[in-house]
Amino acid sequence: MRYIETYGDQRQLAFCAFCGGATGTRDHCPSRVLLDKPYPENLPVVPACRTCNAGFSSDEEYFARLVSCVLAGSTEPDSIPRQKIARILRKKPALRSRIEQSRRETASEISFTPESHRVFSVVRKLAQGHALHELHEPCAYPPSEICIQPFALMSEAQRDEFESPSPLGRSIWPEVGSRALQRLVTEKNDLYDGWLEIQRRGYRFQASVPNGIEIRIVIQEYLAVLVRWE
């Protein structure tokens, strides 16, 4: 990724991106557990308190393993394409067993029942990090909306709308000095069809301000996430 310095109000960076408390560390956004090595250069980081920095780790690990198992249709490590995930499933049989217990197989399909509160915790954290890093907007409070849906369950119209938000949303510019604004106006624009790709086919996102703050995320080209603060 291209490194961009933010020129927004530095007071916005004096607090934890996730709880709004005093900051003492920095946290990657997206979390490295969602990415494969070699990691992208200049991976975004945001200020975080020590409690939040450590507190999300378990849920992030669960979420990353769950997505890989769903894509493979199995919790068997040898069936998981992402070697990082396969290794951890081998090392942590309790986590593998927990995900396996949520797996259901019928004659026509394989499904997993996620621990929803853990999934929502992770996607909210990801969106908070992108909002602060890209838009220079702290969002240490509950969002107005969180929508999580696999692309496979979307209609063609729903996917088109998700991939290409309305022109109105693009016409409202982010805060002056923010990274999002700089990406829009500089010649070295690293957005692809409005998306910032962190890792090819692994993680991409949009950060915009159509009516409030809106973050869209795609994970493993499988899961579509929309988080909005009005």
PDB file of all heavy atoms in Angstrom, residues 1-34:
ATOM      1  N   MET A   1       0.830  -1.193   0.000  1.00  0.00           N
ATOM      2  CA  MET A   1       0.000   0.000   0.000  1.00  0.00           C
ATOM      3  C   MET A   1       0.866   1.245   0.000  1.00  0.00           C
ATOM      4  O   MET A   1       1.945   1.257   0.576  1.00  0.00           O
ATOM      5  CB  MET A   1      -0.899   0.039   1.238  1.00  0.00           C
ATOM      6  CG  MET A   1      -2.044  -0.929   1.231  1.00  0.00           C
ATOM      7  SD  MET A   1      -3.054  -0.681   2.697  1.00  0.00           S
ATOM      8  CE  MET A   1      -3.567   1.023   2.481  1.00  0.00           C
ATOM      9  N   ARG A   2       0.375   2.287  -0.626  1.00  0.00           N
ATOM     10  CA  ARG A   2       1.078   3.566  -0.604  1.00  0.00           C
ATOM     11  C   ARG A   2       0.863   4.252   0.754  1.00  0.00           C
ATOM     12  O   ARG A   2      -0.257   4.311   1.252  1.00  0.00           O
ATOM     13  CB  ARG A   2       0.529   4.444  -1.741  1.00  0.00           C
ATOM     14  CG  ARG A   2       1.141   5.828  -1.818  1.00  0.00           C
ATOM     15  CD  ARG A   2       0.778   6.478  -3.149  1.00  0.00           C
ATOM     16  NE  ARG A   2      -0.659   6.643  -3.324  1.00  0.00           N
ATOM     17  CZ  ARG A   2      -1.312   7.796  -3.119  1.00  0.00           C
ATOM     18  NH1 ARG A   2      -0.640   8.865  -2.723  1.00  0.00           N
ATOM     19  NH2 ARG A   2      -2.601   7.886  -3.324  1.00  0.00           N
ATOM     20  N   TYR A   3       1.947   4.739   1.320  1.00  0.00           N
ATOM     21  CA  TYR A   3       1.824   5.441   2.595  1.00  0.00           C
ATOM     22  C   TYR A   3       1.341   6.860   2.346  1.00  0.00           C
ATOM     23  O   TYR A   3       1.874   7.578   1.494  1.00  0.00           O
ATOM     24  CB  TYR A   3       3.159   5.490   3.341  1.00  0.00           C
ATOM     25  CG  TYR A   3       3.071   6.284   4.615  1.00  0.00           C
ATOM     26  CD1 TYR A   3       2.455   5.753   5.742  1.00  0.00           C
ATOM     27  CD2 TYR A   3       3.574   7.583   4.674  1.00  0.00           C
ATOM     28  CE1 TYR A   3       2.347   6.490   6.910  1.00  0.00           C
ATOM     29  CE2 TYR A   3       3.471   8.326   5.850  1.00  0.00           C
ATOM     30  CZ  TYR A   3       2.858   7.779   6.954  1.00  0.00           C
ATOM     31  OH  TYR A   3       2.740   8.503   8.108  1.00  0.00           O
ATOM     32  N   ILE A   4       0.346   7.284   3.099  1.00  0.00           N
ATOM     33  CA  ILE A   4      -0.183   8.640   3.010  1.00  0.00           C
ATOM     34  C   ILE A   4      -0.262   9.215   4.414  1.00  0.00           C
ATOM     35  O   ILE A   4      -0.869   8.614   5.311  1.00  0.00           O
ATOM     36  CB  ILE A   4      -1.588   8.661   2.358  1.00  0.00           C
ATOM     37  CG1 ILE A   4      -1.536   8.098   0.937  1.00  0.00           C
ATOM     38  CG2 ILE A   4      -2.156  10.075   2.344  1.00  0.00           C
ATOM     39  CD1 ILE A   4      -2.898   8.024   0.268  1.00  0.00           C
ATOM     40  N   GLU A   5       0.335  10.368   4.596  1.00  0.00           N
ATOM     41  CA  GLU A   5       0.256  11.057   5.882  1.00  0.00           C
ATOM     42  C   GLU A   5      -1.088  11.758   5.997  1.00  0.00           C
ATOM     43  O   GLU A   5      -1.596  12.318   5.033  1.00  0.00           O
ATOM     44  CB  GLU A   5       1.382  12.088   5.979  1.00  0.00           C
ATOM     45  CG  GLU A   5       1.455  12.802   7.315  1.00  0.00           C
ATOM     46  CD  GLU A   5       1.835  11.876   8.448  1.00  0.00           C
ATOM     47  OE1 GLU A   5       2.915  11.255   8.367  1.00  0.00           O
ATOM     48  OE2 GLU A   5       1.037  11.762   9.402  1.00  0.00           O
ATOM     49  N   THR A   6      -1.695  11.681   7.163  1.00  0.00           N
ATOM     50  CA  THR A   6      -2.950  12.393   7.363  1.00  0.00           C
ATOM     51  C   THR A   6      -2.668  13.831   7.797  1.00  0.00           C
ATOM     52  O   THR A   6      -1.716  14.085   8.544  1.00  0.00           O
ATOM     53  CB  THR A   6      -3.833  11.701   8.404  1.00  0.00           C
ATOM     54  OG1 THR A   6      -5.066  12.430   8.545  1.00  0.00           O
ATOM     55  CG2 THR A   6      -3.145  11.620   9.754  1.00  0.00           C
ATOM     56  N   TYR A   7      -3.489  14.754   7.321  1.00  0.00           N
ATOM     57  CA  TYR A   7      -3.358  16.153   7.704  1.00  0.00           C
ATOM     58  C   TYR A   7      -4.614  16.642   8.413  1.00  0.00           C
ATOM     59  O   TYR A   7      -4.869  17.833   8.488  1.00  0.00           O
ATOM     60  CB  TYR A   7      -3.067  17.004   6.469  1.00  0.00           C
ATOM     61  CG  TYR A   7      -1.731  16.665   5.846  1.00  0.00           C
ATOM     62  CD1 TYR A   7      -1.669  15.888   4.697  1.00  0.00           C
ATOM     63  CD2 TYR A   7      -0.551  17.093   6.433  1.00  0.00           C
ATOM     64  CE1 TYR A   7      -0.440  15.549   4.134  1.00  0.00           C
ATOM     65  CE2 TYR A   7       0.676  16.755   5.877  1.00  0.00           C
ATOM     66  CZ  TYR A   7       0.723  15.987   4.727  1.00  0.00           C
ATOM     67  OH  TYR A   7       1.936  15.640   4.190  1.00  0.00           O
ATOM     68  N   GLY A   8      -5.386  15.689   8.922  1.00  0.00           N
ATOM     69  CA  GLY A   8      -6.564  16.065   9.694  1.00  0.00           C
ATOM     70  C   GLY A   8      -6.177  16.511  11.097  1.00  0.00           C
ATOM     71  O   GLY A   8      -5.007  16.498  11.488  1.00  0.00           O
ATOM     72  N   ASP A   9      -7.171  16.894  11.859  1.00  0.00           N
ATOM     73  CA  ASP A   9      -6.976  17.354  13.233  1.00  0.00           C
ATOM     74  C   ASP A   9      -6.323  16.242  14.054  1.00  0.00           C
ATOM     75  O   ASP A   9      -6.917  15.184  14.279  1.00  0.00           O
ATOM     76  CB  ASP A   9      -8.331  17.738  13.821  1.00  0.00           C
ATOM     77  CG  ASP A   9      -8.219  18.400  15.186  1.00  0.00           C
ATOM     78  OD1 ASP A   9      -7.166  18.262  15.835  1.00  0.00           O
ATOM     79  OD2 ASP A   9      -9.196  19.049  15.598  1.00  0.00           O
ATOM     80  N   GLN A  10      -5.115  16.469  14.520  1.00  0.00           N
ATOM     81  CA  GLN A  10      -4.373  15.447  15.256  1.00  0.00           C
ATOM     82  C   GLN A  10      -5.028  15.093  16.595  1.00  0.00           C
ATOM     83  O   GLN A  10      -4.749  14.036  17.167  1.00  0.00           O
ATOM     84  CB  GLN A  10      -2.930  15.915  15.478  1.00  0.00           C
ATOM     85  CG  GLN A  10      -2.116  16.004  14.202  1.00  0.00           C
ATOM     86  CD  GLN A  10      -2.017  14.671  13.479  1.00  0.00           C
ATOM     87  OE1 GLN A  10      -1.558  13.677  14.041  1.00  0.00           O
ATOM     88  NE2 GLN A  10      -2.474  14.642  12.229  1.00  0.00           N
ATOM     89  N   ARG A  11      -5.887  15.942  17.086  1.00  0.00           N
ATOM     90  CA  ARG A  11      -6.574  15.622  18.341  1.00  0.00           C
ATOM     91  C   ARG A  11      -7.483  14.409  18.181  1.00  0.00           C
ATOM     92  O   ARG A  11      -7.804  13.734  19.167  1.00  0.00           O
ATOM     93  CB  ARG A  11      -7.390  16.837  18.802  1.00  0.00           C
ATOM     94  CG  ARG A  11      -6.519  18.006  19.289  1.00  0.00           C
ATOM     95  CD  ARG A  11      -7.341  19.234  19.585  1.00  0.00           C
ATOM     96  NE  ARG A  11      -7.966  19.775  18.380  1.00  0.00           N
ATOM     97  CZ  ARG A  11      -8.703  20.877  18.345  1.00  0.00           C
ATOM     98  NH1 ARG A  11      -8.915  21.558  19.468  1.00  0.00           N
ATOM     99  NH2 ARG A  11      -9.230  21.305  17.207  1.00  0.00           N
ATOM    100  N   GLN A  12      -7.906  14.119  16.955  1.00  0.00           N
ATOM    101  CA  GLN A  12      -8.736  12.948  16.704  1.00  0.00           C
ATOM    102  C   GLN A  12      -7.977  11.652  16.941  1.00  0.00           C
ATOM    103  O   GLN A  12      -8.585  10.588  17.095  1.00  0.00           O
ATOM    104  CB  GLN A  12      -9.243  12.967  15.246  1.00  0.00           C
ATOM    105  CG  GLN A  12     -10.024  14.205  14.859  1.00  0.00           C
ATOM    106  CD  GLN A  12     -11.454  14.166  15.356  1.00  0.00           C
ATOM    107  OE1 GLN A  12     -11.689  13.939  16.536  1.00  0.00           O
ATOM    108  NE2 GLN A  12     -12.395  14.385  14.458  1.00  0.00           N
ATOM    109  N   LEU A  13      -6.645  11.720  16.923  1.00  0.00           N
ATOM    110  CA  LEU A  13      -5.818  10.528  17.059  1.00  0.00           C
ATOM    111  C   LEU A  13      -5.305  10.330  18.479  1.00  0.00           C
ATOM    112  O   LEU A  13      -4.460   9.477  18.724  1.00  0.00           O
ATOM    113  CB  LEU A  13      -4.630  10.614  16.091  1.00  0.00           C
ATOM    114  CG  LEU A  13      -4.993  10.829  14.620  1.00  0.00           C
ATOM    115  CD1 LEU A  13      -3.723  10.924  13.781  1.00  0.00           C
ATOM    116  CD2 LEU A  13      -5.898   9.724  14.106  1.00  0.00           C
ATOM    117  N   ALA A  14      -5.821  11.101  19.409  1.00  0.00           N
ATOM    118  CA  ALA A  14      -5.346  11.032  20.792  1.00  0.00           C
ATOM    119  C   ALA A  14      -6.096  10.002  21.625  1.00  0.00           C
ATOM    120  O   ALA A  14      -5.782   9.822  22.807  1.00  0.00           O
ATOM    121  CB  ALA A  14      -5.460  12.405  21.453  1.00  0.00           C
ATOM    122  N   PHE A  15      -7.071   9.330  21.010  1.00  0.00           N
ATOM    123  CA  PHE A  15      -7.903   8.400  21.755  1.00  0.00           C
ATOM    124  C   PHE A  15      -8.016   7.069  21.010  1.00  0.00           C
ATOM    125  O   PHE A  15      -7.813   6.999  19.803  1.00  0.00           O
ATOM    126  CB  PHE A  15      -9.298   9.003  21.972  1.00  0.00           C
ATOM    127  CG  PHE A  15      -9.266  10.343  22.645  1.00  0.00           C
ATOM    128  CD1 PHE A  15      -9.340  11.506  21.890  1.00  0.00           C
ATOM    129  CD2 PHE A  15      -9.140  10.439  24.015  1.00  0.00           C
ATOM    130  CE1 PHE A  15      -9.293  12.747  22.499  1.00  0.00           C
ATOM    131  CE2 PHE A  15      -9.095  11.676  24.640  1.00  0.00           C
ATOM    132  CZ  PHE A  15      -9.169  12.838  23.884  1.00  0.00           C
ATOM    133  N   CYS A  16      -8.370   6.029  21.750  1.00  0.00           N
ATOM    134  CA  CYS A  16      -8.541   4.690  21.179  1.00  0.00           C
ATOM    135  C   CYS A  16      -9.618   4.715  20.103  1.00  0.00           C
ATOM    136  O   CYS A  16     -10.711   5.253  20.305  1.00  0.00           O
ATOM    137  CB  CYS A  16      -8.906   3.710  22.281  1.00  0.00           C
ATOM    138  SG  CYS A  16      -9.288   2.046  21.700  1.00  0.00           S
ATOM    139  N   ALA A  17      -9.320   4.122  18.951  1.00  0.00           N
ATOM    140  CA  ALA A  17     -10.268   4.097  17.841  1.00  0.00           C
ATOM    141  C   ALA A  17     -11.522   3.299  18.162  1.00  0.00           C
ATOM    142  O   ALA A  17     -12.563   3.489  17.528  1.00  0.00           O
ATOM    143  CB  ALA A  17      -9.593   3.496  16.602  1.00  0.00           C
ATOM    144  N   PHE A  18     -11.454   2.439  19.170  1.00  0.00           N
ATOM    145  CA  PHE A  18     -12.539   1.492  19.407  1.00  0.00           C
ATOM    146  C   PHE A  18     -13.407   1.814  20.621  1.00  0.00           C
ATOM    147  O   PHE A  18     -14.615   1.595  20.589  1.00  0.00           O
ATOM    148  CB  PHE A  18     -11.946   0.081  19.536  1.00  0.00           C
ATOM    149  CG  PHE A  18     -10.958  -0.235  18.453  1.00  0.00           C
ATOM    150  CD1 PHE A  18      -9.629  -0.455  18.757  1.00  0.00           C
ATOM    151  CD2 PHE A  18     -11.348  -0.258  17.125  1.00  0.00           C
ATOM    152  CE1 PHE A  18      -8.704  -0.726  17.756  1.00  0.00           C
ATOM    153  CE2 PHE A  18     -10.443  -0.518  16.112  1.00  0.00           C
ATOM    154  CZ  PHE A  18      -9.113  -0.754  16.422  1.00  0.00           C
ATOM    155  N   CYS A  19     -12.795   2.354  21.688  1.00  0.00           N
ATOM    156  CA  CYS A  19     -13.590   2.672  22.879  1.00  0.00           C
ATOM    157  C   CYS A  19     -13.555   4.157  23.227  1.00  0.00           C
ATOM    158  O   CYS A  19     -14.336   4.609  24.057  1.00  0.00           O
ATOM    159  CB  CYS A  19     -13.105   1.846  24.074  1.00  0.00           C
ATOM    160  SG  CYS A  19     -11.500   2.347  24.733  1.00  0.00           S
ATOM    161  N   GLY A  20     -12.639   4.909  22.603  1.00  0.00           N
ATOM    162  CA  GLY A  20     -12.539   6.330  22.877  1.00  0.00           C
ATOM    163  C   GLY A  20     -11.737   6.678  24.115  1.00  0.00           C
ATOM    164  O   GLY A  20     -11.652   7.839  24.493  1.00  0.00           O
ATOM    165  N   GLY A  21     -11.140   5.648  24.749  1.00  0.00           N
ATOM    166  CA  GLY A  21     -10.347   5.896  25.945  1.00  0.00           C
ATOM    167  C   GLY A  21      -8.925   6.320  25.626  1.00  0.00           C
ATOM    168  O   GLY A  21      -8.561   6.533  24.468  1.00  0.00           O
ATOM    169  N   ALA A  22      -8.127   6.428  26.678  1.00  0.00           N
ATOM    170  CA  ALA A  22      -6.730   6.825  26.509  1.00  0.00           C
ATOM    171  C   ALA A  22      -5.996   5.774  25.692  1.00  0.00           C
ATOM    172  O   ALA A  22      -6.195   4.568  25.871  1.00  0.00           O
ATOM    173  CB  ALA A  22      -6.076   7.005  27.871  1.00  0.00           C
ATOM    174  N   THR A  23      -5.154   6.220  24.778  1.00  0.00           N
ATOM    175  CA  THR A  23      -4.446   5.295  23.906  1.00  0.00           C
ATOM    176  C   THR A  23      -3.036   5.037  24.417  1.00  0.00           C
ATOM    177  O   THR A  23      -2.418   5.905  25.026  1.00  0.00           O
ATOM    178  CB  THR A  23      -4.384   5.846  22.473  1.00  0.00           C
ATOM    179  OG1 THR A  23      -3.729   4.895  21.633  1.00  0.00           O
ATOM    180  CG2 THR A  23      -3.626   7.158  22.417  1.00  0.00           C
ATOM    181  N   GLY A  24      -2.540   3.829  24.182  1.00  0.00           N
ATOM    182  CA  GLY A  24      -1.184   3.501  24.591  1.00  0.00           C
ATOM    183  C   GLY A  24      -0.467   2.613  23.600  1.00  0.00           C
ATOM    184  O   GLY A  24       0.736   2.390  23.702  1.00  0.00           O
ATOM    185  N   THR A  25      -1.209   2.097  22.611  1.00  0.00           N
ATOM    186  CA  THR A  25      -0.631   1.207  21.607  1.00  0.00           C
ATOM    187  C   THR A  25      -1.224   1.554  20.246  1.00  0.00           C
ATOM    188  O   THR A  25      -2.038   2.475  20.117  1.00  0.00           O
ATOM    189  CB  THR A  25      -0.926  -0.267  21.923  1.00  0.00           C
ATOM    190  OG1 THR A  25      -2.351  -0.499  21.825  1.00  0.00           O
ATOM    191  CG2 THR A  25      -0.459  -0.641  23.317  1.00  0.00           C
ATOM    192  N   ARG A  26      -0.849   0.768  19.243  1.00  0.00           N
ATOM    193  CA  ARG A  26      -1.432   0.885  17.918  1.00  0.00           C
ATOM    194  C   ARG A  26      -1.899  -0.494  17.470  1.00  0.00           C
ATOM    195  O   ARG A  26      -1.318  -1.512  17.839  1.00  0.00           O
ATOM    196  CB  ARG A  26      -0.436   1.451  16.917  1.00  0.00           C
ATOM    197  CG  ARG A  26       0.046   2.852  17.265  1.00  0.00           C
ATOM    198  CD  ARG A  26       0.836   3.466  16.119  1.00  0.00           C
ATOM    199  NE  ARG A  26       1.971   2.641  15.749  1.00  0.00           N
ATOM    200  CZ  ARG A  26       2.721   2.841  14.654  1.00  0.00           C
ATOM    201  NH1 ARG A  26       2.414   3.832  13.834  1.00  0.00           N
ATOM    202  NH2 ARG A  26       3.749   2.061  14.392  1.00  0.00           N
ATOM    203  N   ASP A  27      -2.944  -0.517  16.660  1.00  0.00           N
ATOM    204  CA  ASP A  27      -3.505  -1.784  16.204  1.00  0.00           C
ATOM    205  C   ASP A  27      -3.629  -1.761  14.682  1.00  0.00           C
ATOM    206  O   ASP A  27      -3.960  -0.728  14.090  1.00  0.00           O
ATOM    207  CB  ASP A  27      -4.889  -1.998  16.840  1.00  0.00           C
ATOM    208  CG  ASP A  27      -5.327  -3.453  16.788  1.00  0.00           C
ATOM    209  OD1 ASP A  27      -4.511  -4.313  16.406  1.00  0.00           O
ATOM    210  OD2 ASP A  27      -6.485  -3.724  17.136  1.00  0.00           O
ATOM    211  N   HIS A  28      -3.348  -2.907  14.058  1.00  0.00           N
ATOM    212  CA  HIS A  28      -3.456  -2.994  12.608  1.00  0.00           C
ATOM    213  C   HIS A  28      -4.917  -3.035  12.164  1.00  0.00           C
ATOM    214  O   HIS A  28      -5.764  -3.626  12.833  1.00  0.00           O
ATOM    215  CB  HIS A  28      -2.753  -4.252  12.089  1.00  0.00           C
ATOM    216  CG  HIS A  28      -1.262  -4.172  12.167  1.00  0.00           C
ATOM    217  ND1 HIS A  28      -0.544  -4.711  13.220  1.00  0.00           N
ATOM    218  CD2 HIS A  28      -0.350  -3.604  11.331  1.00  0.00           C
ATOM    219  CE1 HIS A  28       0.736  -4.491  13.032  1.00  0.00           C
ATOM    220  NE2 HIS A  28       0.893  -3.818  11.905  1.00  0.00           N
ATOM    221  N   CYS A  29      -5.177  -2.426  11.037  1.00  0.00           N
ATOM    222  CA  CYS A  29      -6.523  -2.422  10.472  1.00  0.00           C
ATOM    223  C   CYS A  29      -6.412  -2.533   8.947  1.00  0.00           C
ATOM    224  O   CYS A  29      -6.034  -1.564   8.301  1.00  0.00           O
ATOM    225  CB  CYS A  29      -7.248  -1.141  10.861  1.00  0.00           C
ATOM    226  SG  CYS A  29      -8.959  -1.140  10.323  1.00  0.00           S
ATOM    227  N   PRO A  30      -6.702  -3.712   8.369  1.00  0.00           N
ATOM    228  CA  PRO A  30      -7.303  -4.878   9.018  1.00  0.00           C
ATOM    229  C   PRO A  30      -6.309  -5.673   9.862  1.00  0.00           C
ATOM    230  O   PRO A  30      -5.102  -5.530   9.711  1.00  0.00           O
ATOM    231  CB  PRO A  30      -7.783  -5.721   7.833  1.00  0.00           C
ATOM    232  CG  PRO A  30      -6.801  -5.408   6.758  1.00  0.00           C
ATOM    233  CD  PRO A  30      -6.500  -3.942   6.922  1.00  0.00           C
ATOM    234  N   SER A  31      -6.854  -6.506  10.702  1.00  0.00           N
ATOM    235  CA  SER A  31      -6.040  -7.370  11.546  1.00  0.00           C
ATOM    236  C   SER A  31      -5.243  -8.332  10.671  1.00  0.00           C
ATOM    237  O   SER A  31      -5.740  -8.854   9.678  1.00  0.00           O
ATOM    238  CB  SER A  31      -6.946  -8.171  12.484  1.00  0.00           C
ATOM    239  OG  SER A  31      -7.882  -7.314  13.109  1.00  0.00           O
ATOM    240  N   ARG A  32      -4.011  -8.592  11.064  1.00  0.00           N
ATOM    241  CA  ARG A  32      -3.156  -9.452  10.241  1.00  0.00           C
ATOM    242  C   ARG A  32      -3.650 -10.890  10.170  1.00  0.00           C
ATOM    243  O   ARG A  32      -3.307 -11.608   9.230  1.00  0.00           O
ATOM    244  CB  ARG A  32      -1.719  -9.404  10.762  1.00  0.00           C
ATOM    245  CG  ARG A  32      -1.012  -8.102  10.386  1.00  0.00           C
ATOM    246  CD  ARG A  32       0.441  -8.104  10.784  1.00  0.00           C
ATOM    247  NE  ARG A  32       0.611  -8.068  12.227  1.00  0.00           N
ATOM    248  CZ  ARG A  32       1.793  -7.975  12.837  1.00  0.00           C
ATOM    249  NH1 ARG A  32       2.895  -7.896  12.127  1.00  0.00           N
ATOM    250  NH2 ARG A  32       1.866  -7.935  14.156  1.00  0.00           N
ATOM    251  N   VAL A  33      -4.475 -11.303  11.123  1.00  0.00           N
ATOM    252  CA  VAL A  33      -5.000 -12.664  11.069  1.00  0.00           C
ATOM    253  C   VAL A  33      -5.890 -12.862   9.843  1.00  0.00           C
ATOM    254  O   VAL A  33      -6.108 -13.988   9.387  1.00  0.00           O
ATOM    255  CB  VAL A  33      -5.779 -12.996  12.371  1.00  0.00           C
ATOM    256  CG1 VAL A  33      -7.095 -12.231  12.436  1.00  0.00           C
ATOM    257  CG2 VAL A  33      -6.012 -14.488  12.502  1.00  0.00           C
ATOM    258  N   LEU A  34      -6.390 -11.767   9.270  1.00  0.00           N
ATOM    259  CA  LEU A  34      -7.225 -11.857   8.077  1.00  0.00           C
ATOM    260  C   LEU A  34      -6.410 -11.835   6.788  1.00  0.00           C
ATOM    261  O   LEU A  34      -6.981 -11.959   5.698  1.00  0.00           O
ATOM    262  CB  LEU A  34      -8.233 -10.703   8.055  1.00  0.00           C
ATOM    263  CG  LEU A  34      -9.236 -10.679   9.212  1.00  0.00           C
ATOM    264  CD1 LEU A  34     -10.072  -9.407   9.161  1.00  0.00           C
ATOM    265  CD2 LEU A  34     -10.130 -11.913   9.177  1.00  0.00           C
TER     266      LEU A  34
END
